[in-house]
Amino acid sequence: MTKGIIFDIKQFSIHDGPGIRTTVFLKGCPLSCWWCHNPEGQAMKPELILRPERCIGCGACLEVCEQGAILWRSGQDGERIVTDRERCTACGDCVQVCYAEARELVGREVTVAEVMDAIERDTAFYDQSGGGVTVSGGEPLAQPDFLRELLRACQYRGLHTALDTCGFAPWEALDSVRQYVDLFLYDLKLMDDARHRAFTGVSNERILENLQRLSREGHRLILRVPIIPGINDDEENLQAIGAFAADLPHLKRVDLLPYHRIGRDKYRRLGKPCPMPETEPPSEARMDEIAQVLRKFDLPVSLNH
Ligand code: SF4
Ligand code: SF4
């Protein structure tokens, strides 16, 4: 049985494709976008999340940690529990004994059958709303075998499938799953390759090639463009996105997704630096202006305020 690592299953999702959906979040991503709002999806392994504000100082976690990663530390407000992430192996033992829910393990190994059990609880809602299942991440194509088996199982049950992808994967990986995908939700961020490398860590060459190829092959596509103030909302990038998108056959829509700050707290809880601590979301007026730029290319544009 093929296993994969996921970090969440979200039920009753209404922003990840048509109708009411269950979104399965796979862990692991080859990109490291500065604006990532799911940083817990980047690493392909379980990680420890800490909420020190909930800690009641019972010391139970310290008792069970065999790595000696949990310590008392003196500070101005007295002693408090701290965790040495260098020593932590993310075994999860401390999470089991923390009744204050100050500790959480994100990421777990699952079988396709286990995920299907969760998905099938909501089939009545899919039927009524025209919904289905969306696989997101992280980058789902980073686990191509698990992804393929999951999508295949969904289609076998007659469920509509959507794949939310950044498109950075070998064509062979996409080719092996695409027959099981009813709708691609495909991210497009920056058209300039040097800027794409600077802000995501990888070239956009493969991403653009895969997108064109999927489109040529007749797949249903929605482009998702995150709008990140100061990074990709300049006229040059918007014009380049508009021209590129207008050339894609079978493009259903362009969705504009405004940057939001929910990732900021997650970085802190994961013990990672937030690359954009000061950036604010774009205003609704600015999002409307950007939509107008893209509509001039005759593109159907949808705004998610
Ligand atoms: S078990 Fe939880 S509440 Fe108790 S000291 Fe550890 S982190 Fe704090
Ligand atoms: S996850 Fe395991 S290794 Fe890490 S702090 Fe908790 S008990 Fe220690």
Side-chain angles (χ1 to χ4, degrees):
M1 181 70 78
T2 313
K3 288 186 172 181
I5 177 162
I6 65 168
F7 64 95
D8 202 5
I9 297 179
K10 195 163 99 192
Q11 293 168 292
F12 306 113
S13 167
I14 53 166
H15 296 297
D16 295 322
I20 296 174
R21 312 188 69 80
T22 296
T23 305
V24 183
F25 293 87
L26 273 56
K27 211 161 167 358
C29 181
L31 276 64
S32 46
C33 304
W34 282 28
W35 52 89
C36 180
H37 63 276
N38 283 336
E40 74 275 39
Q42 289 182 358
M44 183 89 75
K45 59 180 183 163
E47 290 173 282
L48 187 64
I49 282 187
L50 298 174
R51 294 185 179 83
E53 68 281 5
R54 291 190 188 170
C55 175
I56 53 169
C58 69
C61 53
L62 188 145
E63 300 290 324
V64 298
C65 180
E66 291 184 0
Q67 304 301 321
I70 305 175
L71 319 154
W72 286 108
R73 181 167 294 161
S74 300
Q76 285 180 337
D77 304 329
E79 287 210 307
R80 65 189 171 90
I81 286 283
V82 293
T83 303
D84 180 348
R85 287 183 181 272
E86 296 289 313
R87 288 190 178 190
C88 173
T89 58
C91 69
D93 289 353
C94 58
V95 176
Q96 301 297 326
V97 299
C98 180
Y99 296 107
E101 297 183 353
R103 314 176 78 82
E104 182 190 344
L105 201 64
V106 64
R108 63 195 161 98
E109 199 177 66
V110 288
T111 62
V112 169
E114 285 168 331
V115 178
M116 290 308 295
D117 276 350
I119 285 171
E120 283 179 354
R121 280 178 221 142
D122 294 330
T123 47
F125 297 103
Y126 311 149
D127 294 342
Q128 287 161 19
S129 68
V133 177
T134 298
V135 187
S136 182
E139 171 47 58
L141 288 162
Q143 301 183 60
D145 296 340
F146 178 70
L147 174 64
R148 186 184 59 252
E149 294 310 310
L150 178 57
L151 290 168
R152 182 154 62 183
C154 290
Q155 280 207 342
Y156 182 73
R157 307 290 204 285
L159 304 174
H160 180 273
T161 59
L163 176 61
D164 181 10
T165 178
C166 72
F168 188 83
W171 172 253
E172 293 68 32
L174 259 173
D175 196 32
S176 73
V177 304
R178 67 191 175 98
Q179 63 183 303
Y180 307 113
V181 179
D182 295 314
L183 174 67
F184 282 90
L185 306 172
Y186 203 108
D187 294 354
L188 193 57
K189 301 160 173 114
L190 281 154
M191 296 302 290
D192 179 83
D193 192 40
R195 286 178 68 74
H196 198 279
R197 285 173 193 266
F199 291 111
T200 72
V202 302
S203 164
N204 64 9
E205 203 174 319
R206 176 183 273 180
I207 293 169
L208 299 179
E209 276 174 18
N210 284 341
L211 176 53
Q212 285 174 316
R213 193 157 175 186
L214 281 177
S215 185
R216 275 200 312 272
E217 298 279 350
H219 291 283
R220 284 166 66 81
L221 285 160
I222 292 179
L223 275 191
R224 300 183 122 189
V225 182
I227 299 299
I228 320 299
I231 292 184
N232 74 342
D233 63 340
D234 55 286
E235 190 67 18
E236 190 181 338
N237 189 52
L238 297 174
Q239 293 288 342
I241 285 178
F244 186 86
D247 253 5
L248 295 171
H250 309 292
L251 181 65
K252 199 169 171 309
R253 204 172 67 221
V254 178
D255 285 355
L256 297 181
L257 314 174
Y259 168 74
H260 52 73
R261 288 169 295 193
I262 63 166
R264 209 173 290 183
D265 261 0
K266 293 184 181 179
Y267 280 103
R268 187 172 50 80
R269 290 182 201 141
L270 283 163
K272 296 179 178 173
C274 174
M276 298 188 359
E278 309 297 338
T279 304
E280 294 295 324
S283 66
E284 288 193 13
R286 178 65 188 133
M287 292 297 292
D288 286 335
E289 282 172 12
I290 292 169
Q292 288 310 326
V293 172
L294 295 181
R295 285 188 182 120
K296 289 199 175 124
F297 290 88
D298 237 0
L299 293 164
V301 178
S302 168
L303 279 168
N304 284 353
H305 283 310

